[in-house]
Amino acid sequence: MGGATIKDVAAAAGVGIATVSRVMSGSGPVSEATRRRVLAAAETLEYRPSALGRGLKTRRTGAIGLLVPDITDPFSAELAAGVLACARAQGCHVVLDATGEDPDVEAELLERLAEQRVEGVIAVPVRRDPRPWEALTRLGPAVVFAGRTVPGLPSAPCVLADEAGGVRSVVEYLAGLGHRRVAFLGGRGADGPAVREEAFRATLAALGLAVEEDLFARARPTADSAFAAAASLFQRRPDLTAVVAGGHRLGEAAVLAARELTLRVPADVSIAIVEDVPWSELCDPPLTAVAHPARDLGYRACELLLRASAGGAARAPGRPVVLATELMVRASCGPVTGSMRTGRPR
Amino acid sequence: MGGATIKDVAAAAGVGIATVSRVMSGSGPVSEATRRRVLAAAETLEYRPSALGRGLKTRRTGAIGLLVPDITDPFSAELAAGVLACARAQGCHVVLDATGEDPDVEAELLERLAEQRVEGVIAVPVRRDPRPWEALTRLGPAVVFAGRTVPGLPSAPCVLADEAGGVRSVVEYLAGLGHRRVAFLGGRGADGPAVREEAFRATLAALGLAVEEDLFARARPTADSAFAAAASLFQRRPDLTAVVAGGHRLGEAAVLAARELTLRVPADVSIAIVEDVPWSELCDPPLTAVAHPARDLGYRACELLLRASAGGAARAPGRPVVLATELMVRASCGPVTGSMRTGRPR
DNA sequence: GTGAAAGCGCTAACAA
DNA sequence: TTGTTAGCGCTTTCAC
């Protein structure tokens, strides 16, 4: 009832436990006859080798920790799907946890994963402080960052999307459409480098367009704040002709705000979002977006992790793996026309 | 380096390993002095008690298996979020896996979870066959179904959404709007009871509306198939005034098909979907939908599981926990008007 | 080809 | 209050 052990099987098959072990793990020489007897015994007893016992002995658990901000977010979910796919292919299992973007939760979760003796952890990191990560690595598990890096750990293995390239591609696209006053809607908080905003500024500069601070809006990570930021941006600068949202939540807020202010998209204002979502096709109009290869990110991160934890930490530091983003041109961006909103508030 | 063990700590603190164990688990009497010494030693050695060793001894791993069809689907993700929240609160961790709606994958995953000695598994079940589940239970882990049941296991603990009530609420809403020819777009496959379709039929009957087989369309679970089914439905019955989609994928297909056929929503046809999605507000028009309490489902399922695995299997069978759905009235359904499409194909 | 024995890191009696 | 001891279920030499 409580689960048969290797001893039970050995007894039932009339062999030693070592033999059972050999049969179950398929290693070592076993005569075909005993092999069959053992298998039969295992079958009737419904024997399932305990991963605990095995792990204790072999010091390998086949467990991978996965830390995402919010499994409910399409990016996280897609990333997780990639990790799951790779992990399963390698016979590993995934312990999932959500940090909720909270550094303290993240730290606690890392402790728990360490206790579980995971072989590695894949994380979309929150905490800017490199120490918890270093501590974890010292304990054993390999760490691979996905989607973001930790500033203090330049050499940590990580798999990133080409954020800069993605932002550049939209901005250039918008510029090509004739837009000159393009706003950026970004996240607030000590979120660190704000790669997207930085790439936005850089591209503007490279294109010879003016960088007006007034065209930058920042929101806290709540729907309300995002909406407010978008709305006030639209009202503050009635002359802007396009806005790039640095995240899908922000983009949605922009769409809603535009709708609220009865701005037509893209006739009055073009909207593009960084981080494509599964429903961009269904929006009205369908949203032009920079798509991130989230699933690949997860898959690659897992590959990297497995390789690292296998080859010992003897892995060369290696540059980050950077995966391309893709500009999905849909209908929410249009050319600048003479009939566009000018300086006059509507 | 490789992680300190309880012995190391004991040696460093100059105590026996049992004392270390007592200190770490906070159980048993320990003098404040030794306690501090042990803690200090543990601190410097960066000691993390091994869940493997502990689990082997205590026969409790604190692991919960979670099997969803596809973590990328909003319902699954939301459910997972609920499970994670509850599990964390109880000090458990979650081993996530995706079945991809494949019974064989599901079966294999169950084996793996059994080997991991999870204390229970929460599953959105695929397989209609009760045996793998019974086998698992026999092995030890408690099983709780979420969102669906397995036909052969009426007494298995499960947490369900009130599908029938949800469908009834939309159909009644539609009927109240004057709709008489309401189509149903459902999934194909031996998917079993097809609760939603059944509830749809029942409600029609209860309302005294005719049940025309011609108004039922079924699609395989691919975007193409769903689109084709929706499109052919619209063309086959130009006189239908509303359609209920029995799933968000199907609903999206309906929206796209309507758009393709240049049917105006809701002027030409009303569309309602069962299974609300985070982006229904952003659609054009915003989608009226039956919202499922996915997160609560997950949370409750986890609660049930923990209680079951704690109280021994001595739990009373108990009826399924059924959580209410909510009709989210938005703009994709409208009243029937004289100017609606009649029998004439457009 | 097969079995006996020694642990892996931990907890839970039981002694002291 | 604390240490000793006996396993939990498994893999892995090392003899036979």
Side-chain angles (χ1 to χ4, degrees):
Chain A
M1 215 95 317
T5 80
I6 196 172
K7 271 191 209 158
D8 302 327
V9 179
V15 299
I17 61 168
T19 304
V20 177
S21 176
R22 287 188 198 104
V23 171
M24 298 311 290
S25 65
S27 74
V30 184
S31 82
E32 191 50 31
T34 45
R35 173 188 180 66
R36 254 199 288 278
R37 249 178 329 132
V38 169
L39 253 18
E43 175 77 7
T44 33
L45 292 175
E46 296 191 302
Y47 172 61
R48 301 286 182 289
S50 162
L52 264 59
R54 181 191 307 136
L56 196 53
K57 185 72 196 174
T58 62
R59 315 171 112 340
R60 306 198 355 87
T61 56
I64 294 174
L66 174 59
L67 259 35
V68 296
D70 170 16
I71 190 58
T72 263
D73 184 273
F75 178 83
S76 293
E78 207 68 50
L79 185 88
V83 173
L84 287 179
C86 178
R88 169 148 4 131
Q90 308 295 320
C92 292
H93 62 276
V94 174
V95 176
L96 174 69
D97 257 311
T99 59
E101 299 283 11
D102 180 332
D104 297 333
V105 171
E106 180 178 78
E108 192 209 318
L109 261 20
L110 285 177
E111 291 297 304
R112 309 243 272 229
L113 291 176
E115 290 202 1
Q116 295 303 322
R117 296 296 188 262
V118 295
E119 293 184 9
V121 1
I122 295 169
V124 179
V126 177
R127 188 171 279 257
R128 314 201 54 220
D129 178 0
R131 279 171 317 200
W133 303 106
E134 295 169 332
L136 184 64
T137 310
R138 223 176 300 129
L139 252 31
V143 173
V144 173
F145 296 123
R148 300 179 190 160
T149 350
V150 172
L153 294 173
S155 71
C158 66
V159 182
L160 266 22
D162 179 12
E163 298 283 357
V167 170
R168 195 184 325 121
S169 66
V170 234
V171 178
E172 286 175 349
Y173 168 68
L174 253 14
L177 250 24
H179 295 276
R180 291 296 169 266
R181 287 178 303 283
V182 183
F184 183 85
L185 186 54
R188 172 150 50 199
D191 258 346
V195 251
R196 293 172 188 171
E197 180 174 329
E198 224 127 83
F200 180 82
R201 301 182 114 96
T203 309
L204 243 39
L207 255 28
L209 295 180
V211 177
E212 303 178 57
E213 287 308 321
D214 203 26
L215 286 175
F216 288 79
R218 282 175 205 80
R220 267 169 293 109
T222 69
D224 284 352
S225 175
F227 181 87
S232 91
L233 177 66
F234 285 137
Q235 290 173 310
R236 180 166 78 231
R237 293 294 301 252
D239 62 322
L240 68 80
T241 62
V243 53
V244 172
H248 73 90
R249 294 269 168 63
L250 296 160
E252 287 154 24
V255 170
L256 259 19
R259 192 179 292 172
E260 183 77 15
L261 298 171
T262 65
L263 297 176
R264 291 161 306 162
V265 178
D268 292 327
V269 61
S270 288
I271 298 180
I273 83 182
V274 177
E275 243 183 71
D276 197 13
V277 283
W279 55 89
S280 9
E281 295 280 7
L282 290 158
C283 282
D284 172 56
L287 257 30
T288 289
V290 176
H292 287 52
R295 189 177 293 245
D296 290 351
L297 247 34
Y299 201 98
R300 295 293 299 273
C302 189
E303 281 185 337
L304 224 62
L305 186 70
L306 263 17
R307 201 167 315 155
S309 73
R315 207 86 242 109
R319 289 149 227 60
V321 175
V322 177
L323 268 35
T325 54
E326 189 184 356
L327 179 63
M328 312 297 290
V329 175
R330 289 190 275 245
S332 65
C333 297
V336 173
T337 66
S339 67
M340 229 146 177
R341 317 193 290 156
T342 59
R344 289 166 290 115
R346 297 163 58 87
Chain B
M1 215 107 307
T5 80
I6 197 172
K7 272 191 208 157
D8 302 328
V9 179
V15 300
I17 62 169
T19 303
V20 177
S21 176
R22 285 188 200 104
V23 172
M24 299 311 290
S25 64
S27 74
V30 184
S31 82
E32 192 49 32
T34 43
R35 173 188 179 67
R36 254 200 288 277
R37 255 183 321 138
V38 169
L39 252 20
E43 175 78 5
T44 32
L45 292 176
E46 296 190 303
Y47 171 61
R48 300 288 181 289
S50 162
L52 263 58
R54 182 192 306 135
L56 196 53
K57 182 71 196 175
T58 63
R59 314 170 113 342
R60 305 198 355 87
T61 56
I64 294 175
L66 173 59
L67 259 34
V68 295
D70 171 15
I71 191 58
T72 263
D73 183 90
F75 178 83
S76 293
E78 207 69 49
L79 184 89
V83 173
L84 287 179
C86 178
R88 169 149 4 131
Q90 308 296 318
C92 292
H93 62 275
V94 174
V95 177
L96 173 70
D97 257 310
T99 60
E101 298 283 12
D102 181 332
D104 297 335
V105 170
E106 180 178 76
E108 192 208 320
L109 261 20
L110 285 178
E111 290 297 304
R112 308 243 272 229
L113 290 176
E115 291 201 1
Q116 295 303 322
R117 297 296 188 263
V118 295
E119 292 184 10
V121 0
I122 295 169
V124 180
V126 178
R127 187 171 283 254
R128 314 202 53 221
D129 179 1
R131 279 172 316 202
W133 303 106
E134 295 170 331
L136 184 64
T137 310
R138 222 177 301 130
L139 253 31
V143 174
V144 173
F145 296 122
R148 299 179 191 161
T149 351
V150 172
L153 294 173
S155 70
C158 66
V159 182
L160 266 21
D162 179 12
E163 298 283 358
V167 170
R168 194 183 326 123
S169 65
V170 234
V171 178
E172 287 174 351
Y173 168 68
L174 253 12
L177 251 24
H179 295 276
R180 290 297 169 266
R181 288 179 302 282
V182 183
F184 183 86
L185 188 54
R188 174 150 46 202
D191 260 345
V195 250
R196 293 172 188 173
E197 181 174 327
E198 225 127 84
F200 181 81
R201 287 173 188 276
T203 308
L204 243 38
L207 256 29
L209 295 178
V211 177
E212 302 178 57
E213 286 309 321
D214 203 26
L215 286 174
F216 288 79
R218 284 177 204 78
R220 268 169 292 110
T222 69
D224 285 352
S225 175
F227 181 87
S232 91
L233 178 65
F234 286 137
Q235 290 174 310
R236 182 167 76 231
R237 294 293 301 255
D239 61 324
L240 67 81
T241 62
V243 53
V244 172
H248 75 89
R249 293 268 168 63
L250 295 160
E252 287 154 25
V255 170
L256 260 17
R259 192 179 293 173
E260 182 77 16
L261 298 172
T262 66
L263 296 177
R264 291 161 307 162
V265 178
D268 292 328
V269 61
S270 288
I271 298 180
I273 82 181
V274 177
E275 242 185 70
D276 196 15
V277 284
W279 55 89
S280 9
E281 295 280 7
L282 290 158
C283 281
D284 174 54
L287 257 29
T288 289
V290 175
H292 287 52
R295 190 177 294 242
D296 290 349
L297 246 34
Y299 200 98
R300 296 292 300 272
C302 190
E303 280 185 338
L304 223 62
L305 186 70
L306 263 17
R307 201 168 315 157
S309 74
R315 207 86 241 107
R319 290 150 225 62
V321 175
V322 177
L323 269 37
T325 54
E326 189 183 358
L327 178 63
M328 311 298 289
V329 175
R330 288 189 276 248
S332 65
C333 296
V336 174
T337 65
S339 67
M340 232 152 175
R341 318 192 290 155
T342 59
R344 289 165 290 112
R346 299 162 56 90

